[in-house]
């Protein structure tokens, strides 16, 4: 299939592009490199020994987007492009509404313009808000606790209304739990800019010596060891969920929603322990105040994805940490800085070929 991947240079996108190429799909990527580097794409093409079309396109630029759709004529779109920092979204909500909601609206209009109506969307377990009814099932009522989460909620609703209005659309809302880990080659992985917001990359940077200690946000939650519990999912399993959803959409119209998680939770201290064990490095930590908006515990019921898609997460915490540590050791400061947002499509093609 000809698949267009928005945000395909990013963390989850790059791992998914690799699997698409390995499965024989023809892949094009649209990214503005606001949070990624074309180096990830170069490494993906070398791992897959296949090429991709890489376009420097901002979803906020409808003219560029339309031109790209006319040129590529994709049969399906996997839509990762979006901003994802919760704290930043609280400080700059309009930036998040514009980029995530308007960006998606533009994308849908471009899709319509070429009759492409198959879409896999990156949603998030954040749409369950502060729900305490565990495990979280897809029918759990949705809510948002911050502007980032609200963009995901709005987009899910927009996609449902679109599918209801026109029976030709096939749409998957994939609700990710906590994606971590990296490809086993150590060549691609998550490369957060500045201080990591998420636990796992923070712990990795402490283990490698870039940061002094992990601040554990709360030690008095009603969990086994008092620290927050989350459903961490290996990015390779998560990527495979996208291919399974794409297959399903070939046979099925309408809007569908699936949780992508393992169904089991790990605490902050379990993550820190696993990292210290696997890396052989001490991981210093200190229990500090709870982070506002955090829930004690959160994990998926992933049965619907197993039944409908035949998909199940295969990798456990140990492997997530091993792969994350390999990536961290091989790329202690992430991908090299490349001023890609200024690069033309010709320059990008040349970069990938080099
Ligand atoms: P990422 O930042 O690594 O990837 C997002 C990509 O989108 C980046 O390459 C960025 O440059 C690009 N992008 C952003 N705005 C764009 C725009 N207007 N036009 C073109 N490109 C744009 O993030 P990720 O972790 O790979 O997440 C991918 C998606 O999954 C996001 O939508 C995110 O909200 C969602 N998600 C992520 C997590 C997580 O913990 N990583 C959890 C749940 C959901
Ligand atoms: N956490 C922590 N210290 C950090 C970052 C996160 O203790 O520096 C905790 C956080 O309170 C939560 C878990 O680690 O219990 C996962 O947080 P993350 O931000 O990675 O994901 P979230 O589930 O909040 O999206």
């Amino acid at each position: 299939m000809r698949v267009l991947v928005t945000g395909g240079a990013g963390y989850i996108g790059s791992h998914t592009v690799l699997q698409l190429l390995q499965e024989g799909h023809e892949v094009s990527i649209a990214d503005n490199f606001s949070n990624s580097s074309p180096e990830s794409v170069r490494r993906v093409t070398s791992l897959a020994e296949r090429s991709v079309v890489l376009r420097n396109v901002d979803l906020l630029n409808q003219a560029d987007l339309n031109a790209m759709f006319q040129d590529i004529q994709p049969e399906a779109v996997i839509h990762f492009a979006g901003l994802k920092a919760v704290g930043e979204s609280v400080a700059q909500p309009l930036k998040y509404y514009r980029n995530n909601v308007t960006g998606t609206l533009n994308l849908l209009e471009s899709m319509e313009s070429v009759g492409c109506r198959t879409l896999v969307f990156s949603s998030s377990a954040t749409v369950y808000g502060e729900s305490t009814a565990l495990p979280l099932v897809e029918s759990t009522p949705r809510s948002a606790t911050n502007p980032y989460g609200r963009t995901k909620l709005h987009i899910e609703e927009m996609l449902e209304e679109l599918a209801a209005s026109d029976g030709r659309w096939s749409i998957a809302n994939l609700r990710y739990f906590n994606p971590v880990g990296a490809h086993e080659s150590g060549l691609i992985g998550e490369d957060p800019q500045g201080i990591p917001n998420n636990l796992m990359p923070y712990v990795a940077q402490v283990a490698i010596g870039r940061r002094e200690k992990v601040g554990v946000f709360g030690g008095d939650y009603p969990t086994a060891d008092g620290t927050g519990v989350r459903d961490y999912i290996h990015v390779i399993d998560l990527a495979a969920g996208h291919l399974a959803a794409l297959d399903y959409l070939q046979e099925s119209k309408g809007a569908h929603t699936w949780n992508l998680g393992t169904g089991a939770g790990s605490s902050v201290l379990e993550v820190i322990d696993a990292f210290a064990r696997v890396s052989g490095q001490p991981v210093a930590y200190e229990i500090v105040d709870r982070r506002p908006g955090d829930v004690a515990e959160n994990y998926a019921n992933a049965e619907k994805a197993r039944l409908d898609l035949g998909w199940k997460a295969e990798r456990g915490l140990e492997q997530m940490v091993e792969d994350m540590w390999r990536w961290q050791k091989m790329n202690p400061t992430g991908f090299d800085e490349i001023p890609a947002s200024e690069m033309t499509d010709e320059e990008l093609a040349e970069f990938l070929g080099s």
Side-chain angles (χ1 to χ4, degrees):
M1 228 193 303
R2 274 191 314 281
V3 184
L4 173 73
V5 181
T6 75
Y11 171 44
I12 306 168
S14 57
H15 289 83
T16 305
V17 167
L18 177 58
Q19 289 185 23
L20 288 166
L21 292 172
Q22 287 169 335
E23 292 294 314
H25 296 288
E26 276 178 49
V27 181
S28 304
I29 295 173
D31 206 302
N32 67 358
F33 307 108
S34 57
N35 195 38
S36 58
S37 163
E39 176 63 12
S40 65
V41 180
R42 202 176 64 79
R43 294 187 186 183
V44 163
T45 56
S46 101
L47 281 167
E49 299 181 358
R50 290 201 48 207
S51 60
V52 299
V53 172
L54 178 59
R55 294 287 170 87
N56 182 353
V57 169
D58 192 320
L59 296 192
L60 296 179
N61 186 328
Q62 184 88 67
D64 278 5
L65 208 51
N66 278 338
M68 181 187 64
F69 269 86
Q70 286 299 336
D71 185 23
I72 290 168
Q73 299 281 336
E75 292 160 282
V77 174
I78 306 184
H79 177 32
F80 293 103
L83 299 174
K84 61 168 184 177
V86 171
E88 186 187 48
S89 82
V90 174
Q92 299 181 64
L94 300 183
K95 178 175 171 185
Y96 274 67
Y97 288 130
R98 179 170 296 284
N99 195 78
N100 294 3
V101 180
T102 306
T104 303
L105 188 56
N106 288 346
L107 176 70
L108 294 169
E109 287 179 343
S110 290
M111 289 178 71
E112 288 242 88
S113 75
V114 297
C116 171
R117 294 187 180 84
T118 300
L119 175 71
V120 178
F121 170 60
S122 298
S123 189
S124 167
T126 189
V127 301
Y128 294 118
E130 290 180 348
S131 175
T132 49
L134 296 175
L136 294 159
V137 288
E138 288 82 352
S139 55
T140 305
R142 291 175 288 195
S143 65
T145 55
N146 55 66
Y148 164 71
R150 202 169 305 282
T151 66
K152 295 293 178 192
L153 193 51
H154 276 335
I155 295 168
E156 281 199 1
E157 289 170 344
M158 197 156 88
L159 295 176
E160 286 158 7
E161 286 168 354
L162 178 63
S165 75
D166 180 341
R168 290 173 296 178
W169 281 90
S170 300
I171 296 175
N173 282 316
L174 301 183
R175 293 184 184 154
Y176 311 160
F177 279 68
N178 290 55
V180 296
H183 187 260
E184 60 182 9
S185 64
L187 290 176
I188 54 171
E190 187 175 12
D191 179 17
Q193 308 300 304
I195 301 171
N197 295 306
N198 295 112
L199 178 67
M200 204 63 103
Y202 201 106
V203 175
Q205 292 193 4
V206 172
I208 202 89
R210 265 176 85 181
R211 301 194 189 276
E212 192 195 337
K213 62 182 169 197
V214 185
V216 175
F217 299 149
D220 57 355
Y221 281 110
T223 58
D225 64 18
T227 65
V229 167
R230 294 291 182 276
D231 186 342
Y232 297 95
I233 174 170
H234 199 298
V235 65
I236 299 293
D237 285 326
L238 187 63
H242 292 72
L243 276 80
L246 205 52
D247 271 354
Y248 185 95
L249 294 182
Q250 296 316 297
E251 309 295 330
S252 179
K253 303 290 177 197
H256 308 270
T257 301
W258 291 287
N259 283 341
L260 296 183
T262 65
S266 303
S267 73
V268 176
L269 292 184
E270 282 170 339
V271 168
I272 291 175
D273 278 353
F275 230 100
R277 201 170 53 245
V278 165
S279 67
Q281 302 296 318
V283 177
Y285 70 87
E286 181 186 8
I287 307 233
V288 298
D289 286 347
R290 291 182 180 190
R291 184 171 63 180
D294 272 355
V295 292
E297 201 167 1
N298 162 342
Y299 52 89
N301 175 328
E303 269 303 285
K304 186 164 182 272
R306 191 180 67 78
L307 291 171
D308 293 349
L309 307 178
W311 173 91
K312 191 168 154 295
E314 307 284 349
R315 294 161 180 78
L317 185 64
E318 198 81 7
Q319 188 164 357
M320 300 178 205
V321 170
E322 268 174 28
D323 291 337
M324 190 108 177
W325 179 236
R326 187 180 307 105
W327 153 255
Q328 184 70 60
K329 265 191 314 188
M330 287 172 63
N331 309 271
T333 55
F335 295 116
D336 289 342
E337 284 282 324
I338 296 166
S341 50
E342 306 300 323
M343 282 166 86
T344 64
D345 292 337
E346 291 70 31
E347 287 168 337
L348 286 170
E350 200 176 317
F351 173 79
L352 292 184
S354 63

